[in-house]
Amino acid sequence: MKLIKRNLFQEVLLWVTRPEIIVIMGMRQVGKTTLLKMILNEIDSNNKVYLDLEDFNNLEICNEGPHKL
């Protein structure tokens, strides 16, 4: 399947190196996860983590606070 890089992709990519947190919000099935995975593929680093909070184990860890991560 061919994915089209939207304008939002370049805009979010500009913020990746900044210290602020980026929040991507939207309705279900609009491409938030796809956008994030595309961004992660562009980052040349081994110091990156993807947590899917649909996985209840990940959600439970995050709900316990940042010290549990």
Side-chain angles (χ1 to χ4, degrees), residues 5-15 35 39:
K5 289 185 180 177
R6 308 284 181 189
N7 294 337
L8 185 59
F9 174 82
Q10 291 298 329
E11 190 173 329
V12 172
L13 197 56
L14 291 174
W15 285 85
L35 174 64
I39 296 288

Side-chain angles (χ1 to χ4, degrees), residues 34-46:
T34 301
L35 174 64
L36 179 59
K37 287 181 178 180
M38 289 171 69
I39 296 288
L40 285 173
N41 286 332
E42 293 291 320
I43 299 171
D44 186 29
S45 171
N46 292 327

